[in-house]
Structures are given as C-alpha cells and as structure tokens.
C-alpha cells in the first residue's frame, strides 16, 4: 500500500494526524489490514467468557471455505500488538481454521474533537478510496452520535450518498480490501450489494478478478441471479439457488418448459415477485400469445 503524503500541520495532515507513522505506517482507523493472528490478543474486559464449541467449529468451517466475511476491529496497544474491540469469535474460529492472518479495522485512540475535524476534512479529499470514506462516515456516526442527515450536512453530501458508502462495509472483507486497493471500483461493489448471499458475493468477486468483467457485465450477471437463473463464467457455473427457494425454482422451470423459453422469475422475502417471458423475435412473441389464448379458451 502506498505511503500517504505528510502535511505541515495537524489538521492539514488529515488522516496522518490520526495514525502513528513511526512504527506501523499503513494502519489507522480508515484502513483494513491483514494482521497476523499471533499479534492479536483478546480483550480481558470482554463480557463473553464462554463460546459454543459447535457454533465456533461451524464458523471455522465457513471461514476455511470462503474466508472472513466481516473484518474484526482492533486497537493497537504497542508495536505489533493489537487488542480485540469486536470479533473475538471470528479470531478464535480463524485460529481453528488454520489462518495465519485476519483482515481487521485498526482503531486509534485520539481526542474525539480532533478526530471529528480531521475526518470531516479528509472525507472531502479526492485521494481517499471508497472504503476509507465509508469508515470515516461510520466512525463519525458511532463516535459523535450524529445522524446520517447531520453527517451529510457536515460534509456537503446527500444522505443517500452517505448510506451508499456505509453499505460497502457490509461486503465480505476480501471485497472491501480489493475496493480499498482499487482492484475493483465502486460500481462493481454496488452491483455485488444487490446479491443477498455473502458466499455468492465472494464467488462473483473472484470471477470479476479472474475475467476483468466490466460493471455493466456484473450488473447483468447479478440481475440474472436475482431472476433465479444460473450464469456461466468461463468454465464455471454459478447457481442462483441461494437466491430463490427451491419451490419457486421448480415453478420457474415448469413455466420455461411450457413456453419453451427460459422464463425469468424474481421473488422477494415476503413472497412477492414478477415473471418475465423473453422472446427473440415477433414469431416467438406470437407463439406465446397464442398459448395464452388457448389457456383462456379452456377456462
């Protein structure tokens, strides 16, 4: 990661003013970093003392298969030593999964008034990436008690823009890190947010990395998955079954067989949805209409 430029005064230095630049240069409240597990320790004041071993093993299995979905949050207590603020279960499960390092947000303890002023200033800097901005917004909300509307007012952005940045922090950790490192852009990330399943988000992300898909291509792939269709990327098939209950997938297939065309179907969590019947030309459209007419005659 590139080293940020240092400026002449405390507020002008922006995020550098919030980070100790002598020992651990890249780490601060606005970045995600891979931290070795051996450098992390539990918080002795953690209220939870017992962890369900079965649930912990299930989490370890999930981490072994698709990695960490949500980064843990740490604070630096000395050089190369960090203490857990949030995420001890993920830390323990990562050890069980055999990981050597884990993605983490690093929080530094500073005067909150200076922190707020520096964050507000630096959110407006063009060289900050989307994750840095999202974390700055999140920190303002959590540390100052501001509403999204108030933050929007302070930084001169719309509340919708604030919400869109905050949504990026719901993406799997490896997607966030790729966005931070500018391996994908915000358009890719926003397209992935339309997929409900984190594991499916990870699969699509890997295909983006492998094939260099454009934002428009990813949006098309996501829409097909939301419609209950499977997609093919290279030689890999990505199934949409995670997006739609099996009974709806069966109904969609029956309709596809009946109309002799790949019917598309989308269903929301409360059971509402829509059906789309594609056609390639006017002849196919006429055939579909004739089928509807025959069904009407049979009533």
């Amino acid at each position: 990661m590139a080293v940020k430029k240092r400026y002449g005064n405390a507020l002008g230095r922006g995020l550098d003013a919030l980070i100790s630049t002598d020992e651990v240069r890249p780490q601060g409240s606005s970045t995600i970093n891979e931290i070795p597990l051996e450098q992390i320790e539990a918080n002795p004041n953690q209220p939870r003392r017992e962890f369900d071993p079965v649930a912990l093993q299930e989490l370890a299995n999930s981490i072994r298969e698709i990695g960490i979905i949500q980064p843990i949050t740490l604070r630096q207590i000395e050089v190369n030593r960090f203490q857990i603020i949030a995420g001890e279960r993920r830390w323990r499960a990562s050890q069980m999964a055999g990981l050597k390092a884990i993605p983490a947000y690093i929080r530094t303890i500073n005067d909150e008034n200076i922190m707020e002023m520096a964050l507000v200033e630096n959110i407006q800097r063009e060289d900050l990436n989307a994750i840095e901005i999202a974390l700055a917004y999140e920190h303002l909300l959590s540390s100052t008690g501001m509403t999204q509307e108030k933050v929007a007012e302070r930084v001169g952005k719309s509340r919708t823009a604030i919400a869109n940045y905050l949504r990026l922090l719901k993406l799997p950790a490896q997607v966030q890190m790729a966005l931070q490192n500018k391996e994908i852009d915000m358009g890719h990330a926003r397209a992935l947010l339309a997929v409900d399943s984190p594991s499916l988000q990870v699969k699509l992300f890997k295909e983006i990395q492998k094939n260099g898909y454009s934002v428009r291509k990813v949006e098309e792939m996501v829409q097909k998955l939301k419609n209950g269709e499977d997609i093919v990327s290279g030689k890999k098939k990505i199934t949409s079954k995670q997006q739609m209950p099996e009974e709806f997938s069966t109904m969609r297939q029956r309709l596809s067989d009946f109309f002799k065309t790949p019917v598309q179907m989308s269903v929301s969590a409360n059971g509402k949805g829509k059906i789309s019947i594609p056609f390639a030309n006017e002849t196919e459209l006429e055939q579909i209409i004739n089928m509807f007419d025959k069904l009407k005659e049979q009533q």
Side-chain angles (χ1 to χ4, degrees), residues 26 56 73 123 243:
L56 205 59
T73 303
I123 283 169
Q243 293 291 109

Side-chain angles (χ1 to χ4, degrees), residues 257-275:
D257 294 341
F258 179 78
F259 288 107
K260 296 181 174 57
T261 188
V263 172
Q264 300 173 2
M265 178 186 294
S266 61
V267 182
S268 65
N270 59 10
K272 295 182 180 180
K274 64 179 180 180
I275 295 172

